[in-house]
């Protein structure tokens, strides 16, 4: 399987460079990076996890519940 070249983009609502960029060209993962600090690395999440995150944000839910919705193992930090 060939690696997918990230297609970085920002939100159409972004009026300045104070934002994050998103690359969702890979069918299995989504990558996020800081627009002002691109060289500092990326955060990569599974596409299903990103979808659940988006649903929760759209619904106005707290994002701390995303980990449980994504069926990831609970850790002690989840209980705080």
């Amino acid at each position: 399987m060939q690696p997918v070249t990230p297609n970085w983009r920002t939100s159409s609502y972004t009026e300045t460079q104070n934002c994050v960029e998103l690359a969702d060209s890979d069918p299995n993962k989504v990558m996020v990076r800081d627009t002002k600090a691109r060289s500092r690395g990326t955060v990569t999440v599974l596409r299903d996890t990103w979808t659940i995150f988006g649903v929760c944000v759209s619904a106005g839910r707290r994002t701390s519940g995303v980990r449980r919705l994504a069926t990831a193992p609970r850790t002690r930090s989840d209980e705080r």
Side-chain angles (χ1 to χ4, degrees):
M1 185 165 155
Q2 294 281 349
V4 176
T5 303
N7 182 22
W8 294 103
R9 60 187 173 83
T10 59
S11 169
S12 60
Y13 294 103
T14 304
E15 295 181 15
T16 67
Q17 292 297 312
N18 296 326
C19 194
V20 294
E21 293 177 317
L22 175 74
D24 59 357
S25 46
D26 188 304
N28 299 311
K29 64 184 178 186
V30 175
M31 297 185 304
V32 181
R33 70 181 179 188
D34 186 337
T35 303
K36 287 193 164 193
R38 292 179 178 124
S39 64
R40 295 183 88 186
T42 63
V43 173
T44 302
V45 296
L46 294 175
R47 182 168 291 279
D48 290 345
T49 303
W50 183 259
T51 300
I52 293 168
F53 173 74
V55 168
C56 290
V57 169
S58 295
R61 295 185 187 141
R62 291 181 56 211
T63 57
S64 62
V66 171
R67 180 174 282 159
R68 285 183 287 283
L69 288 172
T71 65
R74 291 188 65 166
T75 64
R76 289 186 181 231
S77 63
D78 289 338
E79 297 169 3
R80 291 184 200 167

